[in-house]
Amino acid sequence: MGLDFRYKKLGYVALNVTDVAKSAVFYENMVGLDPTGEGKDGCRFFRCSQDHHNIILYPARTGGLKRVGWEMEDDRNLDMAFEHFTEIGLKPHWLDAAEAAALFQGRTFRMTEPNTGATFEYYAQITQLVPPYSQKITKIARLGHVVFSVADFDSAVKFFTGQLNYKVSDYISGVIAFMRCFPNPYHHSFAIGKANENRLNHVNFMVTDIDDVGRGNVRARHMQVPIVYGPGRHPPSDSIFLYFLDPDETTLEFSFGMEEFPEHDARPPRMLAAGLETIDYWGGLPDPRFAAKGVIETVGS
């Protein structure tokens, strides 16, 4: 079938947390998400958009990533993706109707991403909520991106571009590939970085105003939340950033500003030299705790 299927956006990230009540307070009062309910399995739903959820917190023994949800443009593209993943041997499987309904989603399937072992979920419909997301603490524009650290960087880049229909926006030579789920316009909705092991690197929230980054910085300090990088400015995406840790030391990011790509005749990806100045115009250094924790839950683990 080929790579004709089209994404709408990064839909949600499901995180494992060791203390759901504590993390729920953090994601509401530090990150600024709106809570939208609790599942029968003890999970907590949060949103930063009209969607029913953009973050789900699941009780677990170890903090980290549970799965990543991708929203397709429509049911036709959902079916096309399922057929392609079946053809290349990924063994995708549809959730039963009750499980999809418990996620407030339409038809939904999952598969295991073979380079990292992470569970990827795909759907085309999700319940929309009224009134709009409140932006009562942070004016979050959207769930921005999720980044993985991977042990086999070259194979992962080849797979995501060759089989999952991601387009590379920029590389930092041999270190990071910034990718967009086509034809979503944002510089990256997903990225992978070279590492010694597979793990979640960080989850990003894009904000509507540079002041939200500054207020997040002050709020984190008042709440004694560890800041592990920034504020700074990323040269590849030209975004202002702030990285901080959740209660399980999973790395989160607020960022403001990002290049957008046209669907057709987009510029080719740049190959940027590796170096600190390529990560932060302002010359900052990450704390050793930056992206140090983020266990990826694998099937059967």
Side-chain angles (χ1 to χ4, degrees), residues 26 30 200-203 216-217 220-221 224-232 234 241-254 276 279-280 283-293:
F26 176 89
M30 171 59 208
L200 173 65
N201 186 287
H202 71 269
V203 178
N217 179 44
R221 295 178 189 280
Q224 298 184 319
V225 171
I227 295 170
V228 291
Y229 199 12
H234 286 315
F241 67 82
L242 178 75
Y243 294 90
F244 54 97
L245 301 181
D246 84 351
D248 287 292
E249 297 190 0
T250 296
T251 301
L252 306 178
E253 179 191 20
F254 285 151
L276 293 176
I279 301 297
D280 184 5
L285 294 172
D287 183 288
R289 294 171 292 177
F290 172 82
K293 293 188 178 180

Side-chain angles (χ1 to χ4, degrees), residues 137-217:
I137 294 174
T138 311
K139 295 182 178 65
I140 297 173
R142 64 190 62 85
L143 176 65
H145 55 262
V146 60
V147 177
F148 284 9
S149 298
V150 296
D152 193 339
F153 177 79
D154 292 336
S155 293
V157 173
K158 183 178 180 180
F159 181 78
F160 276 92
T161 56
Q163 300 297 342
L164 300 190
N165 203 17
Y166 291 70
K167 306 295 184 186
V168 176
S169 300
D170 284 313
Y171 295 96
I172 295 178
S173 183
V175 179
I176 301 174
F178 299 97
M179 293 179 274
R180 56 196 191 274
C181 56
F182 187 78
N184 186 281
Y186 295 106
H187 181 275
H188 56 284
S189 45
F190 183 72
I192 52 176
K194 189 173 183 178
N196 294 326
E197 63 179 1
N198 296 330
R199 63 180 181 273
L200 173 65
N201 186 287
H202 71 269
V203 178
N204 164 274
F205 301 92
M206 294 180 66
V207 299
T208 64
D209 194 307
I210 192 172
D211 290 338
D212 286 300
V213 177
R215 293 188 186 103
N217 179 44

